[in-house]
Every structure is written in C-alpha cells, then in structure tokens.
Amino acid sequence: MHPGASIGQVYLCCLPVDFRKQIDGLAALVESELELNLFGDALFVFANRQRSRMKILYWHRNGFCL
C-alpha cells in the first residue's frame, strides 16, 4: 500500500473471482454486485476459487491500486 493511505473499512468478496480480471473488471464487480462506493477509504479483497491467492483493490488520491 502507499504510505499515507487511510483505510476505513475492509470488504471481503465471498464469491470466488476470475483472476484474469484486472482493475476495470474488479471495479465493475464492486459497483454492480456489491453495490459499494469505489472511491471511499475502503479495501476490496478478492480471492480465487482455490483461496490460494488474493487481489486487493483500493482508491488512492487519483487512481486505483491493485
């Protein structure tokens, strides 16, 4: 994570996610399926089907970080 990033909440997506998805696909998933605000001070955590890897998406200043 970037130094100085403030995190207020952490959301864990319980459904397995196709890990070919990048920032745009995961952001669309947060907006459409989870119905959450992408631009807040939250982390969005995604896991693959085997639960062996994770991706974390968050907004920092003027762009998304993965």
Side-chain angles (χ1 to χ4, degrees):
M1 289 196 44
H2 289 282
S6 64
I7 302 303
Q9 296 173 328
V10 177
Y11 295 101
L12 175 62
C13 182
C14 296
L15 299 174
V17 173
D18 180 3
F19 262 36
R20 293 175 289 181
K21 291 183 189 248
Q22 294 299 316
I23 291 173
D24 293 337
L26 294 174
L29 182 69
V30 169
E31 282 190 322
S32 65
E33 297 294 322
L34 303 177
E35 298 178 354
L36 295 169
N37 178 18
L38 280 168
F39 305 106
D41 60 346
L43 291 179
F44 301 99
V45 181
F46 305 92
N48 64 349
R49 187 177 304 271
Q50 295 83 16
R51 304 280 191 233
S52 60
R53 298 186 190 271
M54 45 192 324
K55 286 188 176 184
I56 300 172
L57 178 70
Y58 68 98
W59 177 258
H60 182 70
R61 295 189 186 161
N62 62 349
F64 287 105
C65 298
L66 184 63

CSV table of all heavy atoms in Angstrom, one decimal:
chain,number,residue,atom,x,y,z
A,1,MET,N,0.8,-1.2,0.0
A,1,MET,CA,0.0,0.0,0.0
A,1,MET,C,0.9,1.2,0.0
A,1,MET,O,2.0,1.2,0.5
A,1,MET,CB,-0.9,0.0,1.2
A,1,MET,CG,-2.0,-1.0,1.1
A,1,MET,SD,-3.3,-0.8,2.3
A,1,MET,CE,-3.6,0.9,2.2
A,2,HIS,N,0.3,2.3,-0.5
A,2,HIS,CA,1.0,3.6,-0.5
A,2,HIS,C,1.1,4.2,0.9
A,2,HIS,O,0.1,4.1,1.7
A,2,HIS,CB,0.3,4.6,-1.4
A,2,HIS,CG,0.4,4.2,-2.8
A,2,HIS,ND1,1.5,4.5,-3.6
A,2,HIS,CD2,-0.5,3.7,-3.7
A,2,HIS,CE1,1.3,4.1,-4.8
A,2,HIS,NE2,0.1,3.6,-4.9
A,3,PRO,N,2.2,4.7,1.3
A,3,PRO,CA,2.3,5.4,2.6
A,3,PRO,C,1.3,6.6,2.6
A,3,PRO,O,1.1,7.3,1.6
A,3,PRO,CB,3.7,6.0,2.6
A,3,PRO,CG,4.4,5.3,1.5
A,3,PRO,CD,3.5,4.8,0.5
A,4,GLY,N,0.6,6.7,3.7
A,4,GLY,CA,-0.3,7.8,3.9
A,4,GLY,C,-1.7,7.4,3.4
A,4,GLY,O,-2.6,8.2,3.6
A,5,ALA,N,-1.9,6.3,2.9
A,5,ALA,CA,-3.3,5.8,2.5
A,5,ALA,C,-4.1,5.5,3.8
A,5,ALA,O,-3.6,4.8,4.6
A,5,ALA,CB,-3.2,4.6,1.6
A,6,SER,N,-5.3,6.1,3.9
A,6,SER,CA,-6.1,5.8,5.0
A,6,SER,C,-7.2,4.8,4.7
A,6,SER,O,-7.8,4.9,3.6
A,6,SER,CB,-6.8,7.1,5.5
A,6,SER,OG,-7.6,7.6,4.5
A,7,ILE,N,-7.3,3.8,5.5
A,7,ILE,CA,-8.3,2.7,5.3
A,7,ILE,C,-9.3,2.7,6.4
A,7,ILE,O,-9.0,2.6,7.6
A,7,ILE,CB,-7.6,1.3,5.3
A,7,ILE,CG1,-6.5,1.3,4.2
A,7,ILE,CG2,-8.6,0.2,5.1
A,7,ILE,CD1,-7.0,1.6,2.8
A,8,GLY,N,-10.5,2.9,6.0
A,8,GLY,CA,-11.6,2.9,7.0
A,8,GLY,C,-12.3,1.6,7.2
A,8,GLY,O,-12.7,1.2,8.2
A,9,GLN,N,-12.5,0.9,6.0
A,9,GLN,CA,-13.2,-0.4,6.1
A,9,GLN,C,-12.5,-1.4,5.1
A,9,GLN,O,-11.9,-1.0,4.2
A,9,GLN,CB,-14.7,-0.2,5.6
A,9,GLN,CG,-15.4,0.7,6.6
A,9,GLN,CD,-16.8,1.0,6.0
A,9,GLN,OE1,-17.0,1.0,4.8
A,9,GLN,NE2,-17.8,1.1,6.9
A,10,VAL,N,-12.8,-2.7,5.4
A,10,VAL,CA,-12.3,-3.8,4.5
A,10,VAL,C,-13.5,-4.6,4.1
A,10,VAL,O,-14.2,-5.1,5.0
A,10,VAL,CB,-11.2,-4.6,5.2
A,10,VAL,CG1,-10.7,-5.7,4.3
A,10,VAL,CG2,-10.0,-3.7,5.6
A,11,TYR,N,-13.7,-4.8,2.8
A,11,TYR,CA,-14.7,-5.6,2.3
A,11,TYR,C,-14.1,-6.9,1.7
A,11,TYR,O,-13.3,-6.8,0.8
A,11,TYR,CB,-15.6,-4.9,1.3
A,11,TYR,CG,-16.3,-3.7,1.9
A,11,TYR,CD1,-15.9,-2.4,1.7
A,11,TYR,CD2,-17.5,-3.9,2.6
A,11,TYR,CE1,-16.6,-1.4,2.2
A,11,TYR,CE2,-18.2,-2.8,3.1
A,11,TYR,CZ,-17.7,-1.6,2.9
A,11,TYR,OH,-18.4,-0.5,3.4
A,12,LEU,N,-14.6,-8.0,2.1
A,12,LEU,CA,-14.2,-9.3,1.5
A,12,LEU,C,-15.3,-9.9,0.7
A,12,LEU,O,-16.4,-10.1,1.1
A,12,LEU,CB,-13.8,-10.3,2.7
A,12,LEU,CG,-13.4,-11.7,2.2
A,12,LEU,CD1,-12.2,-11.7,1.4
A,12,LEU,CD2,-13.2,-12.6,3.4
A,13,CYS,N,-14.9,-10.1,-0.6
A,13,CYS,CA,-15.9,-10.7,-1.5
A,13,CYS,C,-15.9,-12.2,-1.3
A,13,CYS,O,-14.8,-12.8,-1.5
A,13,CYS,CB,-15.5,-10.3,-3.0
A,13,CYS,SG,-16.7,-11.0,-4.2
A,14,CYS,N,-17.0,-12.8,-0.9
A,14,CYS,CA,-17.0,-14.2,-0.5
A,14,CYS,C,-17.1,-15.1,-1.7
A,14,CYS,O,-16.7,-16.3,-1.6
A,14,CYS,CB,-18.2,-14.4,0.4
A,14,CYS,SG,-18.1,-13.6,1.9
A,15,LEU,N,-17.5,-14.6,-2.9
A,15,LEU,CA,-17.6,-15.4,-4.1
A,15,LEU,C,-16.2,-15.5,-4.7
A,15,LEU,O,-15.5,-14.5,-4.7
A,15,LEU,CB,-18.6,-14.8,-5.0
A,15,LEU,CG,-20.0,-14.7,-4.6
A,15,LEU,CD1,-20.8,-14.0,-5.6
A,15,LEU,CD2,-20.6,-16.1,-4.3
A,16,PRO,N,-15.8,-16.6,-5.3
A,16,PRO,CA,-14.5,-16.7,-6.0
A,16,PRO,C,-14.6,-15.8,-7.2
A,16,PRO,O,-15.6,-15.7,-7.9
A,16,PRO,CB,-14.4,-18.1,-6.4
A,16,PRO,CG,-15.7,-18.8,-6.2
A,16,PRO,CD,-16.5,-17.9,-5.3
A,17,VAL,N,-13.4,-15.2,-7.6
A,17,VAL,CA,-13.3,-14.2,-8.7
A,17,VAL,C,-12.3,-14.8,-9.7
A,17,VAL,O,-11.3,-15.3,-9.4
A,17,VAL,CB,-12.8,-12.9,-8.1
A,17,VAL,CG1,-12.6,-11.9,-9.2
A,17,VAL,CG2,-13.8,-12.3,-7.2
A,18,ASP,N,-12.7,-14.6,-11.0
A,18,ASP,CA,-11.8,-14.9,-12.1
A,18,ASP,C,-10.6,-14.0,-12.0
A,18,ASP,O,-10.7,-12.8,-12.1
A,18,ASP,CB,-12.5,-14.8,-13.4
A,18,ASP,CG,-11.7,-15.1,-14.6
A,18,ASP,OD1,-10.5,-15.5,-14.4
A,18,ASP,OD2,-12.2,-15.0,-15.7
A,19,PHE,N,-9.4,-14.6,-11.8
A,19,PHE,CA,-8.2,-13.7,-11.6
A,19,PHE,C,-7.6,-13.2,-12.9
A,19,PHE,O,-6.6,-12.5,-12.8
A,19,PHE,CB,-7.2,-14.5,-10.8
A,19,PHE,CG,-7.2,-14.1,-9.3
A,19,PHE,CD1,-8.4,-13.9,-8.7
A,19,PHE,CD2,-6.0,-14.0,-8.6
A,19,PHE,CE1,-8.4,-13.5,-7.3
A,19,PHE,CE2,-6.1,-13.7,-7.3
A,19,PHE,CZ,-7.3,-13.4,-6.6
A,20,ARG,N,-8.3,-13.4,-14.0
A,20,ARG,CA,-7.9,-12.7,-15.2
A,20,ARG,C,-8.4,-11.3,-15.2
A,20,ARG,O,-8.0,-10.4,-16.0
A,20,ARG,CB,-8.4,-13.4,-16.4
A,20,ARG,CG,-7.7,-14.8,-16.6
A,20,ARG,CD,-8.3,-15.5,-17.8
A,20,ARG,NE,-9.7,-16.0,-17.4
A,20,ARG,CZ,-10.5,-16.7,-18.2
A,20,ARG,NH1,-10.1,-17.0,-19.4
A,20,ARG,NH2,-11.6,-17.0,-17.7
A,21,LYS,N,-9.4,-11.0,-14.3
A,21,LYS,CA,-9.9,-9.6,-14.2
A,21,LYS,C,-8.8,-8.7,-13.6
A,21,LYS,O,-8.1,-9.1,-12.7
A,21,LYS,CB,-11.1,-9.6,-13.2
A,21,LYS,CG,-12.3,-10.3,-13.8
A,21,LYS,CD,-13.5,-10.1,-12.8
A,21,LYS,CE,-14.6,-11.0,-13.3
A,21,LYS,NZ,-15.7,-10.2,-13.7
A,22,GLN,N,-8.8,-7.5,-14.2
A,22,GLN,CA,-7.8,-6.5,-13.7
A,22,GLN,C,-8.6,-5.4,-13.0
A,22,GLN,O,-9.7,-5.6,-12.5
A,22,GLN,CB,-7.0,-6.0,-14.8
A,22,GLN,CG,-6.0,-7.0,-15.4
A,22,GLN,CD,-5.1,-7.6,-14.4
A,22,GLN,OE1,-4.5,-6.8,-13.6
A,22,GLN,NE2,-4.9,-8.9,-14.3
A,23,ILE,N,-8.1,-4.2,-12.9
A,23,ILE,CA,-8.7,-3.1,-12.2
A,23,ILE,C,-10.1,-2.8,-12.7
A,23,ILE,O,-11.1,-2.7,-11.9
A,23,ILE,CB,-7.8,-1.9,-12.2
A,23,ILE,CG1,-6.5,-2.1,-11.4
A,23,ILE,CG2,-8.6,-0.6,-11.7
A,23,ILE,CD1,-5.5,-1.0,-11.5
A,24,ASP,N,-10.3,-2.7,-14.0
A,24,ASP,CA,-11.6,-2.4,-14.5
A,24,ASP,C,-12.7,-3.4,-14.2
A,24,ASP,O,-13.8,-3.1,-13.8
A,24,ASP,CB,-11.5,-2.1,-16.0
A,24,ASP,CG,-10.7,-0.9,-16.4
A,24,ASP,OD1,-10.6,0.0,-15.6
A,24,ASP,OD2,-10.2,-0.9,-17.5
A,25,GLY,N,-12.3,-4.7,-14.3
A,25,GLY,CA,-13.3,-5.7,-14.1
A,25,GLY,C,-13.6,-5.9,-12.6
A,25,GLY,O,-14.8,-6.1,-12.2
A,26,LEU,N,-12.6,-5.7,-11.7
A,26,LEU,CA,-12.9,-5.8,-10.3
A,26,LEU,C,-13.7,-4.5,-9.8
A,26,LEU,O,-14.6,-4.7,-9.0
A,26,LEU,CB,-11.6,-5.9,-9.5
A,26,LEU,CG,-10.8,-7.2,-9.7
A,26,LEU,CD1,-9.5,-7.1,-9.0
A,26,LEU,CD2,-11.6,-8.4,-9.3
A,27,ALA,N,-13.4,-3.4,-10.4
A,27,ALA,CA,-14.2,-2.2,-10.1
A,27,ALA,C,-15.6,-2.3,-10.5
A,27,ALA,O,-16.6,-1.9,-9.8
A,27,ALA,CB,-13.6,-0.9,-10.7
A,28,ALA,N,-15.9,-2.9,-11.7
A,28,ALA,CA,-17.2,-3.1,-12.1
A,28,ALA,C,-18.0,-4.1,-11.2
A,28,ALA,O,-19.1,-4.0,-10.9
A,28,ALA,CB,-17.2,-3.6,-13.6
A,29,LEU,N,-17.2,-5.1,-10.7
A,29,LEU,CA,-17.8,-6.1,-9.8
A,29,LEU,C,-18.2,-5.4,-8.5
A,29,LEU,O,-19.3,-5.7,-8.0
A,29,LEU,CB,-16.8,-7.2,-9.5
A,29,LEU,CG,-17.3,-8.3,-8.6
A,29,LEU,CD1,-18.3,-9.2,-9.3
A,29,LEU,CD2,-16.1,-9.2,-8.2
A,30,VAL,N,-17.4,-4.5,-8.0
A,30,VAL,CA,-17.7,-3.8,-6.7
A,30,VAL,C,-19.0,-3.0,-6.9
A,30,VAL,O,-19.9,-3.0,-6.1
A,30,VAL,CB,-16.5,-3.0,-6.3
A,30,VAL,CG1,-16.9,-2.0,-5.1
A,30,VAL,CG2,-15.4,-3.8,-5.8
A,31,GLU,N,-19.1,-2.3,-8.0
A,31,GLU,CA,-20.2,-1.4,-8.2
A,31,GLU,C,-21.5,-2.2,-8.5
A,31,GLU,O,-22.5,-1.8,-8.0
A,31,GLU,CB,-19.9,-0.4,-9.4
A,31,GLU,CG,-19.0,0.7,-9.0
A,31,GLU,CD,-19.0,1.8,-10.1
A,31,GLU,OE1,-19.0,1.4,-11.3
A,31,GLU,OE2,-19.0,2.9,-9.8
A,32,SER,N,-21.4,-3.2,-9.4
A,32,SER,CA,-22.6,-3.9,-9.8
A,32,SER,C,-23.1,-4.9,-8.8
A,32,SER,O,-24.3,-5.0,-8.4
A,32,SER,CB,-22.5,-4.5,-11.2
A,32,SER,OG,-21.5,-5.5,-11.1
A,33,GLU,N,-22.2,-5.8,-8.3
A,33,GLU,CA,-22.6,-6.9,-7.5
A,33,GLU,C,-22.7,-6.5,-6.0
A,33,GLU,O,-23.6,-6.8,-5.3
A,33,GLU,CB,-21.6,-8.1,-7.6
A,33,GLU,CG,-21.6,-8.7,-9.0
A,33,GLU,CD,-23.0,-9.3,-9.4
A,33,GLU,OE1,-23.6,-10.0,-8.5
A,33,GLU,OE2,-23.4,-9.2,-10.5
A,34,LEU,N,-21.6,-5.8,-5.5
A,34,LEU,CA,-21.6,-5.5,-4.1
A,34,LEU,C,-22.3,-4.2,-3.8
A,34,LEU,O,-22.6,-3.9,-2.6
A,34,LEU,CB,-20.1,-5.4,-3.7
A,34,LEU,CG,-19.3,-6.6,-3.9
A,34,LEU,CD1,-17.8,-6.4,-3.5
A,34,LEU,CD2,-19.8,-7.8,-3.1
A,35,GLU,N,-22.5,-3.3,-4.8
A,35,GLU,CA,-23.2,-2.1,-4.7
A,35,GLU,C,-22.6,-1.2,-3.6
A,35,GLU,O,-23.2,-0.7,-2.7
A,35,GLU,CB,-24.7,-2.3,-4.4
A,35,GLU,CG,-25.4,-3.0,-5.5
A,35,GLU,CD,-26.9,-3.3,-5.2
A,35,GLU,OE1,-27.3,-3.0,-4.1
A,35,GLU,OE2,-27.5,-3.7,-6.1
A,36,LEU,N,-21.2,-1.0,-3.7
A,36,LEU,CA,-20.5,-0.2,-2.8
A,36,LEU,C,-19.8,1.0,-3.5
A,36,LEU,O,-19.6,0.9,-4.7
A,36,LEU,CB,-19.4,-1.0,-2.1
A,36,LEU,CG,-20.0,-2.1,-1.2
A,36,LEU,CD1,-18.9,-3.1,-0.7
A,36,LEU,CD2,-20.7,-1.6,0.0
A,37,ASN,N,-19.4,2.0,-2.8
A,37,ASN,CA,-18.7,3.1,-3.3
A,37,ASN,C,-17.3,2.8,-3.5
A,37,ASN,O,-16.6,2.5,-2.5
A,37,ASN,CB,-18.9,4.3,-2.4
A,37,ASN,CG,-18.2,5.5,-2.8
A,37,ASN,OD1,-17.8,5.7,-4.0
A,37,ASN,ND2,-17.9,6.5,-1.9
A,38,LEU,N,-16.8,2.9,-4.7
A,38,LEU,CA,-15.4,2.6,-5.0
A,38,LEU,C,-14.4,3.6,-4.5
A,38,LEU,O,-13.3,3.3,-4.3
A,38,LEU,CB,-15.2,2.5,-6.6
A,38,LEU,CG,-15.7,1.2,-7.2
A,38,LEU,CD1,-15.7,1.4,-8.7
A,38,LEU,CD2,-14.7,0.1,-6.9
A,39,PHE,N,-14.9,4.8,-4.4
A,39,PHE,CA,-13.9,5.9,-4.2
A,39,PHE,C,-13.8,6.3,-2.7
A,39,PHE,O,-13.3,7.4,-2.4
A,39,PHE,CB,-14.4,7.1,-5.0
A,39,PHE,CG,-14.5,6.8,-6.5
A,39,PHE,CD1,-15.7,6.6,-7.1
A,39,PHE,CD2,-13.3,6.6,-7.2
A,39,PHE,CE1,-15.8,6.3,-8.4
A,39,PHE,CE2,-13.4,6.3,-8.6
A,39,PHE,CZ,-14.7,6.1,-9.2
A,40,GLY,N,-14.3,5.5,-1.8
A,40,GLY,CA,-14.2,5.8,-0.4
A,40,GLY,C,-12.8,5.3,0.1
A,40,GLY,O,-11.9,5.0,-0.6
A,41,ASP,N,-12.7,5.2,1.4
A,41,ASP,CA,-11.5,4.8,2.1
A,41,ASP,C,-11.5,3.3,2.5
A,41,ASP,O,-11.3,3.0,3.6
A,41,ASP,CB,-11.1,5.7,3.3
A,41,ASP,CG,-12.2,5.6,4.3
A,41,ASP,OD1,-13.3,5.1,4.0
A,41,ASP,OD2,-11.9,6.1,5.5
A,42,ALA,N,-11.9,2.5,1.5
A,42,ALA,CA,-12.1,1.0,1.8
A,42,ALA,C,-11.1,0.2,0.9
A,42,ALA,O,-10.7,0.6,-0.2
A,42,ALA,CB,-13.5,0.7,1.5
A,43,LEU,N,-10.8,-1.0,1.5
A,43,LEU,CA,-10.1,-2.0,0.7
A,43,LEU,C,-11.2,-3.0,0.2
A,43,LEU,O,-12.0,-3.4,1.0
A,43,LEU,CB,-9.1,-2.8,1.6
A,43,LEU,CG,-7.9,-2.0,2.0
A,43,LEU,CD1,-7.0,-2.9,2.9
A,43,LEU,CD2,-7.1,-1.5,0.9
A,44,PHE,N,-11.0,-3.5,-1.0
A,44,PHE,CA,-11.9,-4.6,-1.5
A,44,PHE,C,-11.0,-5.8,-1.8
A,44,PHE,O,-10.1,-5.7,-2.6
A,44,PHE,CB,-12.6,-4.1,-2.8
A,44,PHE,CG,-13.4,-2.9,-2.5
A,44,PHE,CD1,-12.9,-1.6,-2.9
A,44,PHE,CD2,-14.7,-3.0,-2.0
A,44,PHE,CE1,-13.7,-0.5,-2.6
A,44,PHE,CE2,-15.5,-1.8,-1.8
A,44,PHE,CZ,-15.0,-0.6,-2.1
A,45,VAL,N,-11.2,-6.9,-1.1
A,45,VAL,CA,-10.4,-8.1,-1.1
A,45,VAL,C,-11.1,-9.1,-1.9
A,45,VAL,O,-12.3,-9.5,-1.6
A,45,VAL,CB,-10.1,-8.5,0.3
A,45,VAL,CG1,-9.1,-9.8,0.2
A,45,VAL,CG2,-9.4,-7.4,1.1
A,46,PHE,N,-10.4,-9.8,-2.9
A,46,PHE,CA,-11.0,-10.8,-3.7
A,46,PHE,C,-10.0,-12.0,-3.6
A,46,PHE,O,-8.8,-11.9,-3.6
A,46,PHE,CB,-11.0,-10.4,-5.2
A,46,PHE,CG,-11.8,-9.1,-5.4
A,46,PHE,CD1,-11.2,-7.9,-5.3
A,46,PHE,CD2,-13.2,-9.1,-5.5
A,46,PHE,CE1,-11.9,-6.7,-5.5
A,46,PHE,CE2,-13.9,-8.0,-5.7
A,46,PHE,CZ,-13.3,-6.7,-5.7
A,47,ALA,N,-10.6,-13.2,-3.7
A,47,ALA,CA,-9.8,-14.4,-3.7
A,47,ALA,C,-10.2,-15.3,-4.9
A,47,ALA,O,-11.3,-15.2,-5.4
A,47,ALA,CB,-10.1,-15.2,-2.4
A,48,ASN,N,-9.3,-16.2,-5.3
A,48,ASN,CA,-9.5,-17.1,-6.4
A,48,ASN,C,-10.3,-18.3,-5.9
A,48,ASN,O,-10.6,-18.4,-4.7
A,48,ASN,CB,-8.2,-17.5,-7.1
A,48,ASN,CG,-7.3,-18.3,-6.2
A,48,ASN,OD1,-7.5,-18.4,-5.0
A,48,ASN,ND2,-6.3,-18.8,-6.8
A,49,ARG,N,-10.7,-19.2,-6.8
A,49,ARG,CA,-11.5,-20.3,-6.4
A,49,ARG,C,-10.8,-21.2,-5.4
A,49,ARG,O,-11.5,-21.8,-4.5
A,49,ARG,CB,-11.8,-21.1,-7.7
A,49,ARG,CG,-12.8,-22.2,-7.4
A,49,ARG,CD,-13.2,-22.9,-8.7
A,49,ARG,NE,-13.7,-22.0,-9.7
A,49,ARG,CZ,-15.0,-21.7,-9.9
A,49,ARG,NH1,-15.9,-22.2,-9.1
A,49,ARG,NH2,-15.4,-20.9,-10.8
A,50,GLN,N,-9.5,-21.4,-5.5
A,50,GLN,CA,-8.8,-22.3,-4.6
A,50,GLN,C,-8.5,-21.6,-3.2
A,50,GLN,O,-7.9,-22.2,-2.3
A,50,GLN,CB,-7.5,-22.8,-5.2
A,50,GLN,CG,-7.7,-23.7,-6.4
A,50,GLN,CD,-7.9,-22.9,-7.7
A,50,GLN,OE1,-7.7,-21.6,-7.8
A,50,GLN,NE2,-8.4,-23.5,-8.7
A,51,ARG,N,-8.7,-20.3,-3.2
A,51,ARG,CA,-8.4,-19.5,-2.0
A,51,ARG,C,-6.9,-19.5,-1.7
A,51,ARG,O,-6.5,-19.4,-0.6
A,51,ARG,CB,-9.1,-20.0,-0.7
A,51,ARG,CG,-10.6,-20.0,-0.9
A,51,ARG,CD,-11.2,-18.6,-0.7
A,51,ARG,NE,-12.6,-18.7,-0.6
A,51,ARG,CZ,-13.5,-18.0,-1.3
A,51,ARG,NH1,-13.0,-17.2,-2.2
A,51,ARG,NH2,-14.8,-18.1,-1.1
A,52,SER,N,-6.1,-19.6,-2.8
A,52,SER,CA,-4.6,-19.6,-2.6
A,52,SER,C,-4.0,-18.2,-2.9
A,52,SER,O,-2.9,-18.0,-2.7
A,52,SER,CB,-4.0,-20.7,-3.5
A,52,SER,OG,-4.4,-20.4,-4.8
A,53,ARG,N,-4.8,-17.3,-3.6
A,53,ARG,CA,-4.3,-16.0,-4.0
A,53,ARG,C,-5.3,-15.0,-3.7
A,53,ARG,O,-6.5,-15.3,-3.6
A,53,ARG,CB,-3.9,-16.0,-5.4
A,53,ARG,CG,-2.8,-16.9,-5.8
A,53,ARG,CD,-2.4,-16.7,-7.2
A,53,ARG,NE,-1.5,-17.8,-7.7
A,53,ARG,CZ,-0.2,-17.8,-7.6
A,53,ARG,NH1,0.4,-16.7,-7.0
A,53,ARG,NH2,0.5,-18.8,-8.0
A,54,MET,N,-4.9,-13.8,-3.5
A,54,MET,CA,-5.8,-12.7,-3.3
A,54,MET,C,-5.4,-11.4,-4.1
A,54,MET,O,-4.2,-11.2,-4.3
A,54,MET,CB,-6.0,-12.4,-1.8
A,54,MET,CG,-4.8,-12.3,-1.0
A,54,MET,SD,-5.0,-12.3,0.8
A,54,MET,CE,-6.4,-11.4,1.1
A,55,LYS,N,-6.4,-10.6,-4.4
A,55,LYS,CA,-6.2,-9.3,-5.0
A,55,LYS,C,-6.9,-8.3,-4.2
A,55,LYS,O,-8.0,-8.5,-3.7
A,55,LYS,CB,-6.7,-9.3,-6.4
A,55,LYS,CG,-5.9,-10.0,-7.5
A,55,LYS,CD,-6.4,-9.7,-8.9
A,55,LYS,CE,-5.5,-10.4,-9.9
A,55,LYS,NZ,-5.9,-10.1,-11.2
A,56,ILE,N,-6.3,-7.2,-4.0
A,56,ILE,CA,-6.8,-6.1,-3.2
A,56,ILE,C,-6.9,-4.8,-4.0
A,56,ILE,O,-5.9,-4.4,-4.6
A,56,ILE,CB,-6.0,-5.9,-1.9
A,56,ILE,CG1,-6.0,-7.1,-1.1
A,56,ILE,CG2,-6.6,-4.7,-1.1
A,56,ILE,CD1,-5.0,-7.1,0.1
A,57,LEU,N,-8.1,-4.3,-4.1
A,57,LEU,CA,-8.3,-3.0,-4.9
A,57,LEU,C,-8.6,-1.9,-3.9
A,57,LEU,O,-9.4,-2.1,-3.0
A,57,LEU,CB,-9.5,-3.3,-5.8
A,57,LEU,CG,-9.9,-2.1,-6.7
A,57,LEU,CD1,-8.9,-1.9,-7.8
A,57,LEU,CD2,-11.3,-2.4,-7.3
A,58,TYR,N,-8.0,-0.8,-4.1
A,58,TYR,CA,-8.4,0.4,-3.4
A,58,TYR,C,-8.1,1.7,-4.2
A,58,TYR,O,-7.4,1.7,-5.1
A,58,TYR,CB,-7.7,0.5,-2.0
A,58,TYR,CG,-6.2,0.7,-2.1
A,58,TYR,CD1,-5.6,1.9,-1.9
A,58,TYR,CD2,-5.3,-0.4,-2.3
A,58,TYR,CE1,-4.2,2.1,-1.9
A,58,TYR,CE2,-4.0,-0.3,-2.3
A,58,TYR,CZ,-3.4,1.0,-2.2
A,58,TYR,OH,-2.1,1.1,-2.2
A,59,TRP,N,-8.8,2.8,-3.8
A,59,TRP,CA,-8.6,4.1,-4.4
A,59,TRP,C,-7.6,4.9,-3.6
A,59,TRP,O,-7.6,5.0,-2.4
A,59,TRP,CB,-10.0,4.8,-4.4
A,59,TRP,CG,-9.9,6.2,-4.9
A,59,TRP,CD1,-9.9,7.3,-4.2
A,59,TRP,CD2,-9.9,6.6,-6.3
A,59,TRP,NE1,-9.8,8.4,-5.1
A,59,TRP,CE2,-9.8,7.9,-6.4
A,59,TRP,CE3,-9.9,5.8,-7.5
A,59,TRP,CZ2,-9.8,8.6,-7.6
A,59,TRP,CZ3,-9.9,6.5,-8.7
A,59,TRP,CH2,-9.8,7.9,-8.7
A,60,HIS,N,-6.6,5.5,-4.3
A,60,HIS,CA,-5.6,6.3,-3.7
A,60,HIS,C,-5.4,7.6,-4.5
A,60,HIS,O,-5.0,7.6,-5.6
A,60,HIS,CB,-4.3,5.5,-3.6
A,60,HIS,CG,-3.2,6.3,-2.9
A,60,HIS,ND1,-3.3,6.6,-1.5
A,60,HIS,CD2,-2.1,6.9,-3.4
A,60,HIS,CE1,-2.2,7.3,-1.2
A,60,HIS,NE2,-1.5,7.5,-2.3
A,61,ARG,N,-5.9,8.7,-3.9
A,61,ARG,CA,-5.8,10.0,-4.4
A,61,ARG,C,-6.5,10.2,-5.8
A,61,ARG,O,-7.6,10.7,-5.8
A,61,ARG,CB,-4.3,10.5,-4.5
A,61,ARG,CG,-3.7,10.6,-3.2
A,61,ARG,CD,-2.3,11.3,-3.3
A,61,ARG,NE,-1.7,11.3,-2.0
A,61,ARG,CZ,-0.5,11.4,-1.8
A,61,ARG,NH1,0.3,11.7,-2.8
A,61,ARG,NH2,0.0,11.4,-0.6
A,62,ASN,N,-5.8,9.8,-6.9
A,62,ASN,CA,-6.5,10.0,-8.2
A,62,ASN,C,-6.4,8.7,-9.0
A,62,ASN,O,-6.5,8.8,-10.3
A,62,ASN,CB,-5.8,11.1,-8.9
A,62,ASN,CG,-4.3,10.8,-9.2
A,62,ASN,OD1,-3.8,9.9,-8.6
A,62,ASN,ND2,-3.7,11.6,-10.0
A,63,GLY,N,-6.3,7.6,-8.4
A,63,GLY,CA,-6.4,6.3,-9.2
A,63,GLY,C,-6.5,5.1,-8.4
A,63,GLY,O,-6.3,5.1,-7.2
A,64,PHE,N,-6.8,4.0,-9.0
A,64,PHE,CA,-6.9,2.7,-8.3
A,64,PHE,C,-5.6,2.0,-8.2
A,64,PHE,O,-4.7,2.2,-9.1
A,64,PHE,CB,-7.9,1.8,-9.1
A,64,PHE,CG,-9.3,2.2,-9.0
A,64,PHE,CD1,-10.0,2.8,-10.0
A,64,PHE,CD2,-10.0,2.0,-7.8
A,64,PHE,CE1,-11.3,3.2,-9.9
A,64,PHE,CE2,-11.3,2.3,-7.7
A,64,PHE,CZ,-12.0,2.9,-8.8
A,65,CYS,N,-5.4,1.3,-7.1
A,65,CYS,CA,-4.3,0.5,-6.9
A,65,CYS,C,-4.7,-1.0,-6.7
A,65,CYS,O,-5.7,-1.2,-6.1
A,65,CYS,CB,-3.5,0.9,-5.6
A,65,CYS,SG,-2.9,2.6,-5.7
A,66,LEU,N,-3.9,-1.9,-7.3
A,66,LEU,CA,-4.3,-3.3,-7.2
A,66,LEU,C,-3.1,-4.0,-6.6
A,66,LEU,O,-2.0,-3.9,-7.0
A,66,LEU,CB,-4.5,-3.8,-8.6
A,66,LEU,CG,-5.0,-5.3,-8.8
A,66,LEU,CD1,-6.3,-5.5,-8.1
A,66,LEU,CD2,-5.1,-5.7,-10.2
